[in-house]
Amino acid sequence: MKILLVGSGGREHSLAWKLAQSEKCEKLYCAPGNAGIAGSAQCVPFEAEDTDSLVHFAIEEQIDLVVIGPEAPLVLGLADRLNEAGIKVFGPSAAAARLEGSKGFMKDLCAKYDIPTAAYRRFTNLEEARKFIEKQDAPIVIKTDGLAAGKGVIIAQTKEEAIEVATNMLSGTLFGASGQEIVIEAFLEGEEVSFFALADGKTVLPLTSAQDHKRAYDGDTGPNTGGMGAYSPAHMMNPALEKTINDRIIQPAVNAMAAEGCPFTGVLFAGIMLVEGDPVLIEFNARFGDPECQTMMMRLQSDLLEILLAGAERRLSDLHDSIVWRDETALCVVMAAKGYPEKYIKNSLITIDLPEFDEKTAIFHAGTKRNAQGDLVNSGGRVLGVCALGKSVAQARKNAYETIGKVHWPEGFYRSDIGWRALQAEEEFEKNPPVVNNLSA
Ligand code: AMP
Ligand code: GLY
């Protein structure tokens, strides 16, 4: 098969690496890709949002399957255009991608179909928003309706701050058009977990869980980022909780989208808050997470191409119980350019003193390119995802940080505490193993 993968981040590098391992994969293109992806795929110079060029290329090259990585092309309708051209595509239509592209749409759907999520109201008018805020208790969560590169959520600690944020969002000064409609919602307290499932409009195929680290610095401090590290599976996940998430959130959402006339096909990524043990939906994304995907691809033993193709061909029911995951933890530490997520310099030199892939480790590239001399330099804020497998979180983490020690990049930084919550839980488990009542003894 000839495959076209769309995107250029660490998520896409891990997808390219895994797709290229499939026996069915004859030729893999990636648009636009990056310096690491060029090791697994032929990079072609079309931006992910350049719908016309991508559709034209897919037709000309007789592509058998297009896999769309990021949310922006989904919201722009790339999957619709490819479907119209008769090309198979893994990723939802623009109407279905509204689950991620419009927070208001997602919240209304949850309200209509009884999917647990934080109480909310939608606003386009500042006076109405102000009156509503006055009646709330802080903290108050304010979100842009539209996409804002993962940064459109602000948790205001006071009513005054909430009013200021609402003012700046609604006027367009903070996030442009994305913020001219807002959602104000109740603050949820608990531990966050990400859960991923495939859907083909009807059938749901649960995948696995992960936990992201959104803040820039150790101890979950500093500004929000796209994600500074992740591990999979999430430490608090168990089969019963997975079933609850699927029964209360994922399957009802897939049924609801079908009932609304916009069936969801692709990967549904649920951001969940465990509130006193009960899963409450924070957000849906219509794609794999970055860097969660990198950890999932390290754990996936089955053929990714077979799985995505079954999704695109609406026959996920063929795959039930056949996806195999390594019984290990995968952990990913993101190396970012100093200054990220604010200002940072580009074109700083990176030297990697070891093979980028071996049995237990992988270095996935995000914002990298080769300069005129062929040296590896950064071209973005999040630059490398250094991943490792291990029998425990502690082991995976040790392997990942040992690998990081062999990457020389003076202009880069990374968090030194990825997986800290899971590590605490693991240590607690070792100190106080649960008592097993052996009734027959
Ligand atoms: P989102 O872009 O919706 O994932 O939001 C970014 C982050 O904001 C989430 O990962 C949460 O940490 C936080 N967040 C969003 N909504 C809420 C909420 N209602 N209560 C508490 N935290 C939230
Ligand atoms: N790591 C969070 C996201 O991909 O949205």
Side-chain angles (χ1 to χ4, degrees):
M1 291 182 68
K2 282 169 126 182
I3 319 292
L4 170 63
L5 172 66
V6 177
S8 62
R11 165 182 49 213
E12 287 76 24
H13 190 186
S14 68
L15 292 172
W17 172 71
K18 200 66 197 154
L19 285 170
Q21 291 169 24
S22 170
E23 276 182 12
K24 275 207 167 118
C25 180
E26 211 175 288
K27 177 84 194 170
L28 178 62
Y29 294 101
C30 185
N34 62 39
I37 293 174
S40 304
Q42 181 179 335
C43 294
V44 286
F46 309 116
E47 291 303 321
E49 291 87 0
D50 184 356
T51 308
D52 288 342
S53 299
L54 291 169
V55 174
H56 181 73
F57 178 81
I59 294 169
E60 286 290 297
E61 291 300 320
Q62 300 182 324
I63 296 292
D64 298 299
L65 176 69
V66 178
V67 177
I68 305 175
E71 61 278 18
L74 295 170
V75 169
L76 288 173
L78 178 57
D80 306 73
R81 289 277 306 278
L82 290 163
N83 275 321
E84 280 160 25
I87 293 168
K88 283 179 195 155
V89 53
F90 180 82
S93 66
R98 282 180 298 166
L99 274 184
E100 172 164 6
S102 166
K103 297 258 196 250
F105 172 83
M106 178 281 241
K107 299 292 288 190
D108 287 352
L109 189 90
C110 289
K112 184 168 171 190
Y113 291 90
D114 218 11
I115 297 169
T117 184
Y120 75 106
R121 286 268 308 271
R122 301 173 72 167
F123 296 95
T124 49
N125 178 285
L126 179 59
E127 258 333 287
E128 285 170 20
R130 186 200 300 272
K131 279 192 213 139
F132 181 74
I133 290 168
E134 294 291 358
K135 286 187 252 150
Q136 307 307 305
D137 292 323
I140 299 166
V141 182
I142 308 187
K143 304 184 170 183
T144 59
D145 180 73
L147 295 179
K151 303 191 177 77
V153 175
I154 294 188
I155 299 176
Q157 296 304 330
T158 61
K159 289 182 190 181
E160 292 69 35
E161 188 192 345
I163 291 170
E164 190 185 327
V165 170
T167 308
N168 292 336
M169 280 190 185
L170 287 170
S171 67
T173 48
L174 204 48
F175 293 105
S178 286
Q180 286 176 328
E181 173 163 358
I182 59 173
V183 168
I184 302 184
E185 65 178 45
F187 179 75
L188 298 170
E189 221 161 342
E191 192 166 352
E192 271 185 77
V193 58
S194 304
F195 192 76
F196 299 84
L198 298 184
D200 64 5
K202 200 166 83 187
T203 303
V204 167
L205 188 65
L207 293 178
T208 189
S209 61
Q211 195 171 42
D212 189 13
H213 298 63
K214 292 220 178 210
R215 300 294 200 97
Y217 313 130
D218 282 11
D220 289 331
T221 58
N224 239 333
T225 70
M228 292 298 290
Y231 70 94
S232 169
H235 72 91
M236 69 297 248
M237 200 46 87
N238 57 55
L241 181 55
E242 245 179 59
K243 182 167 175 352
T244 308
I245 291 173
N246 197 49
D247 293 351
R248 288 199 204 149
I249 296 175
I250 308 276
Q251 188 71 58
V254 171
N255 295 348
M257 292 299 279
E260 293 293 313
C262 41
F264 187 93
T265 63
V267 61
L268 193 55
F269 161 1
I272 283 164
M273 190 75 86
L274 293 176
V275 182
E276 291 169 0
D278 273 333
V280 179
L281 181 71
I282 300 174
E283 61 160 359
F284 272 132
N285 295 305
R287 50 169 178 87
F288 284 107
D290 188 338
E292 292 94 326
C293 185
Q294 291 85 314
T295 59
M296 289 164 61
M297 291 306 114
M298 298 239 11
R299 286 184 54 225
L300 182 65
Q301 282 186 301
S302 311
D303 184 328
L304 177 68
L305 178 49
E306 297 274 11
I307 297 169
L308 302 187
L309 185 63
E313 292 178 343
R314 320 270 194 273
R315 49 173 184 82
L316 282 180
S317 53
D318 290 359
L319 294 184
H320 256 291
D321 294 329
S322 65
I323 298 190
V324 184
W325 302 97
R326 259 177 238 281
D327 188 19
E328 283 182 289
T329 296
L331 186 138
C332 175
V333 182
V334 169
M335 299 185 80
K338 281 180 188 164
Y340 171 81
E342 275 107 42
K343 264 204 173 129
Y344 57 85
I345 61 163
K346 290 188 180 174
N347 300 312
S348 60
L349 198 64
I350 303 162
T351 318
I352 302 177
D353 273 350
L354 77 168
E356 293 187 13
F357 294 93
D358 71 19
E359 222 169 282
K360 292 277 170 206
T361 57
I363 301 180
F364 294 116
H365 291 225
T368 65
K369 64 171 194 184
R370 301 262 166 208
N371 65 14
Q373 291 76 46
D375 299 322
L376 188 68
V377 297
N378 79 304
S379 58
R382 287 194 298 174
V383 175
L384 296 172
V386 179
C387 301
L389 287 164
K391 282 286 168 209
S392 60
V393 179
Q395 191 61 51
R397 174 166 144 135
K398 182 167 172 283
N399 295 346
Y401 282 106
E402 269 174 21
T403 305
I404 280 209
K406 294 177 187 139
V407 176
H408 302 288
W409 182 29
E411 288 306 322
F413 81 100
Y414 55 87
R415 276 181 62 162
S416 67
D417 65 346
I418 299 303
W420 68 270
R421 282 196 178 85
L423 205 63
Q424 265 181 6
E426 211 168 73
E427 282 166 3
E428 191 56 39
F429 187 86
E430 272 160 27
K431 263 192 270 156
N432 297 308
V435 179
V436 178
N437 281 321
N438 187 344
L439 296 176
S440 63

